Amino acid sequence: MRTALLLGLSALVLSPLACGGDGGNGGYCQSDSDCGNGNVCARDESCWPSGDVHSVKITWTIGGQPAGSDACSQFPDFFVNFYSQTEDFGFAPVPCMAGEFPVDKLPTAYSAVELGDVNYQYFDQTMSIDENGSASFDLVP
């Protein structure tokens, strides 16, 4: 019973808040001012308490080589998807040559990230985001 109660409370704490304003945005936010009460508009377009978001940085190499024109010639664009226990969202296209993808306001509920070639032909890998807000991939075609 205690375990169920604690799990229920943790789900409540790690859930996005309803966005403020006139409600015309369907619960999504576009900026911190949409959230009110000191909350922030995270990159999943939901309002969260500022203590429940952090910066993350996803980095990658290709077969041990830094991302660049040679390493990325087969797959110029990637997708990056973030996963929580109940939600996911992502970004595409993400240029392979960048070698990194920073996100300034990711809810801490999103604990895993998937990175792959936007055409789903070569690879896609999923990793946990570490306590420092990092995940590093070495993609092997």
Side-chain angles (χ1 to χ4, degrees):
M1 175 81 171
R2 273 191 189 161
T3 302
L5 180 60
L6 288 175
L7 290 174
L9 288 175
S10 67
L12 178 64
V13 171
L14 294 177
S15 297
L17 305 169
C19 293
D22 64 5
N25 59 9
Y28 293 99
C29 59
Q30 294 180 349
S31 68
D32 291 346
S33 63
D34 292 337
C35 297
N37 297 326
N39 297 313
V40 297
C41 182
R43 296 301 168 218
D44 67 347
E45 298 180 334
S46 296
C47 296
W48 291 81
S50 59
D52 290 344
V53 299
H54 63 148
S55 296
V56 301
K57 186 174 175 181
I58 311 308
T59 59
W60 57 86
T61 56
I62 311 295
Q65 299 300 311
S69 58
D70 290 339
C72 295
S73 63
Q74 288 181 281
F75 26 79
D77 293 321
F78 289 155
F79 66 85
V80 177
N81 292 329
F82 293 96
Y83 296 95
S84 74
Q85 289 184 350
T86 59
E87 301 288 330
D88 64 87
F89 77 101
F91 300 91
V94 173
C96 173
M97 289 182 50
E100 67 180 31
F101 189 76
V103 178
D104 61 344
K105 294 188 283 186
L106 183 73
T108 55
Y110 291 90
S111 59
V113 60
E114 177 185 26
L115 177 69
D117 132 68
V118 77
N119 295 316
Y120 295 92
Q121 294 177 345
Y122 296 99
F123 45 72
D124 81 53
Q125 296 179 14
T126 304
M127 297 187 72
S128 294
I129 299 169
D130 70 20
E131 64 278 353
N132 297 317
S134 300
S136 296
F137 293 85
D138 183 31
L139 305 168
V140 180

